[in-house]
Amino acid sequence: MKLITYNLYNIWNQMTVMAEKCGRNPQNITLLAVSKNHSITAIKEAVSVGQYSFGENYAQEGVEKIKILDNPLLSWHFIGRVQSNKSRLVSEYFDWCHTVSCFRIAQLLNKYRSCDQKPINVLIQINISYEETKAGILLEDLPELVRKISYFPRLKLRGLMAIPKESKNNNSSLMEYQRLEKAFNQLKDDYPDVDTLSLGMSGDINDAIICGSTMLRIGTSIFGKRHQSDRELHLPGQ
Ligand SMILES: *Cc1c(COP(=O)(O)O)cnc(C)c1O
């Protein structure tokens, strides 16, 4: 068995086991394969065994892959920081954007989403660990942003996303996850389209599932280590 195939089977299995342990239906948890800095060949191998959702961090790199693969079965998720000058690319080509964290970006995504397309699915990024360097809004500011963006007809608000702080102390991140889960459940009560909590990366799959994640964003455990410096060499200006 090839490596990416092997890794996918392992993660699907881990997701199923963990979901059942928590009394959750494994079908309600989507695996997003984070393919940033990984090749078309790698993505094709994942597709060949039934992995159809992919996450990309860089607009141009993602759009190139979307065009090359040109497969209507695939769903493409933008999970990087949205720069204003890239918002058009994101809005025109991606099915989802996980990183809406201000009114301005929401407004641009709405503006550029064509009426021939379904509305773009968006998640609001929450800065759950109060890190100054991290994107995302504070939970306190969530109701206001939700209210403002819920009027945009070309956006469909599906839920929340967070990138927790890397911590050696597991308890603190578990507490942060639980605060997020609570906010997500509240939002779900108020907005019927909300069904997605994008949480959990290679290092914290189990904690994320315990805390109600419905979408895991996994890169390294599927595709192996990324070559950051290669990307910087080949795609300047991103
Ligand atoms: C790169 C990235 C991931 C995947 O991280 P891994 O540790 O490689 O699994 C998930 N989410 C975001 C926002 C990322 O940028």
Side-chain angles (χ1 to χ4, degrees):
M1 200 187 285
K2 294 204 273 184
L3 187 60
I4 292 171
T5 306
Y6 175 81
N7 289 342
L8 279 169
Y9 281 123
N10 262 336
I11 293 167
W12 288 331
N13 184 54
Q14 183 183 356
M15 285 167 65
T16 307
V17 169
M18 199 60 206
E20 281 168 358
K21 250 193 201 164
C22 302
R24 300 186 52 195
N25 182 349
Q27 308 261 24
N28 294 340
I29 308 171
T30 302
L31 175 62
L32 187 62
V34 176
S35 45
K36 63 174 178 232
N37 300 325
H38 291 289
S39 67
I40 295 286
T41 315
I43 298 175
K44 279 185 173 163
E45 181 184 340
V47 173
S48 74
V49 290
Q51 175 62 38
Y52 293 159
S53 297
F54 293 91
E56 288 283 339
N57 287 57
Y58 309 98
Q60 265 148 264
E61 178 186 341
V63 168
E64 268 174 47
K65 289 172 177 171
I66 294 169
K67 286 182 176 167
I68 292 171
L69 286 156
D70 189 26
N71 181 344
L73 290 177
L74 304 186
S75 108
W76 291 94
H77 297 237
F78 188 77
I79 61 171
R81 204 181 278 249
V82 189
Q83 296 165 274
S84 326
N85 62 344
K86 301 281 164 54
S87 58
R88 180 173 207 145
L89 278 181
V90 171
S91 189
E92 286 182 350
Y93 286 94
F94 284 83
D95 304 292
W96 289 69
C97 177
H98 288 220
T99 46
V100 172
S101 58
C102 65
F103 179 74
R104 174 83 186 126
I105 290 298
Q107 200 176 30
L108 289 170
L109 292 174
N110 180 69
K111 170 176 154 188
Y112 290 127
R113 187 70 171 183
S114 137
C115 289
D116 305 333
Q117 294 173 290
K118 286 190 203 150
I120 185 170
N121 298 295
V122 298
L123 302 177
I124 293 178
Q125 183 175 358
I126 306 292
N127 184 348
I128 44 173
S129 42
Y130 292 87
E131 287 170 284
E132 277 181 21
T133 52
K134 198 156 272 173
I137 61 164
L138 301 180
L139 273 179
E140 296 85 290
D141 300 325
L142 179 62
E144 192 190 342
L145 185 59
V146 168
R147 213 172 320 112
K148 284 184 178 163
I149 76 175
S150 62
Y151 297 108
F152 287 131
R154 308 310 303 146
L155 306 184
K156 184 168 178 178
L157 178 64
R158 298 290 295 272
L160 305 178
M161 176 270 205
I163 308 172
K165 172 170 68 195
E166 274 180 49
S167 86
K168 289 168 198 85
N169 173 2
N170 269 344
N171 273 340
S172 73
S173 56
L174 206 59
M175 268 161 54
E176 286 168 3
Y177 287 17
Q178 285 163 345
R179 288 200 310 136
L180 186 69
E181 184 186 20
K182 201 170 145 216
F184 172 62
N185 285 331
Q186 249 161 13
L187 192 63
K188 232 174 21 179
D189 288 344
D190 296 338
Y191 294 86
D193 287 336
V194 166
D195 58 2
T196 303
L197 180 58
S198 165
L199 182 68
M201 305 181 18
S202 291
D204 57 359
I205 297 179
N206 289 349
D207 281 352
I209 293 177
I210 292 171
C211 295
S213 170
T214 70
M215 198 174 277
L216 301 165
R217 307 181 308 264
I218 313 288
T220 310
S221 302
I222 299 175
F223 296 110
K225 280 223 172 359
R226 289 178 286 275
H227 305 286
Q228 194 68 26
S229 53
D230 289 357
R231 184 190 65 75
E232 279 160 10
L233 278 176
H234 295 137
L235 291 169
Q238 284 238 347

